[in-house]
Amino acid sequence: MKRTRPSRRTRAEERTDAAVTARPDRPPTPGEAQAADERPLDPDVAASAEAMYRRGADEPGEGRVP
């Protein structure tokens, strides 16, 4: 594969793109928020999330793969 050197315009666009933060396009409606609060949690999903939190809490540094 031939290596190329990005242009100044490409570098500028990459910097602009990197500065954008992710956010929702709109907040939830009151009905959506209420429906989410009323929905019961799946016990298997909750247990999996708890296991991931515990495993991640003991990892030194960032991005370490066990």
Side-chain angles (χ1 to χ4, degrees):
M1 176 177 214
K2 182 180 176 185
R3 292 181 181 241
T4 60
R5 192 172 289 254
S7 68
R8 288 183 182 182
R9 182 176 175 193
T10 299
R11 293 286 189 188
E13 288 295 326
E14 287 174 342
R15 280 191 297 277
T16 301
D17 189 45
V20 174
T21 57
R23 61 183 182 271
D25 57 346
R26 64 173 177 80
T29 64
E32 290 170 336
Q34 182 179 1
D37 289 340
E38 292 174 353
R39 186 176 177 126
L41 296 177
D42 183 338
D44 292 335
V45 174
S48 177
E50 182 64 31
M52 287 187 286
Y53 295 146
R54 277 188 266 116
R55 186 177 347 155
D58 296 331
E59 288 297 319
E62 182 179 357
R64 180 167 177 248
V65 177

